[in-house]
Amino acid sequence: MEPPEEIRAELVASVLEVSATAGVRVAGGQAIVLLESMKMEIPVVSETGGTVVSVAVAVGDVVQSGDLIAVVDAEEAPE
């Protein structure tokens, strides 16, 4: 069983949109939040599919590099 995926900010940015909430299933590559930095919109995606455990940001928040954005519990691969 894989540990939950911690999705962290890679740069200082403002949160423009939160696309997922706790309990929602997401696919690998699906955007969790949309950030804005220097007039560029940057989607933050889940690397793996699974269930969102928590979202640590809200619209209007400012995140710093390394800040936790969300936690996704990877889905088990069928055997």
Side-chain angles (χ1 to χ4, degrees):
M1 184 168 144
E2 293 184 36
E5 174 190 6
E6 289 187 347
I7 301 170
R8 296 192 174 271
E10 295 183 6
L11 68 164
V12 177
S14 298
V15 179
L16 281 182
E17 180 180 307
V18 177
S19 305
T21 57
V24 171
R25 294 182 60 78
V26 293
Q30 181 175 340
I32 303 288
V33 301
L34 184 63
L35 300 178
E36 185 271 328
S37 180
M38 299 186 305
K39 302 202 187 281
M40 294 186 337
E41 293 184 357
I42 304 125
V44 178
V45 301
S46 174
E47 294 295 319
T48 59
T51 303
V52 177
V53 175
S54 64
V55 178
V57 297
V59 173
D61 287 354
V62 174
V63 294
Q64 304 295 317
S65 181
D67 283 357
L68 181 66
I69 291 177
V71 177
V72 175
D73 192 10
E75 57 192 12
E76 294 293 319
E79 293 183 19

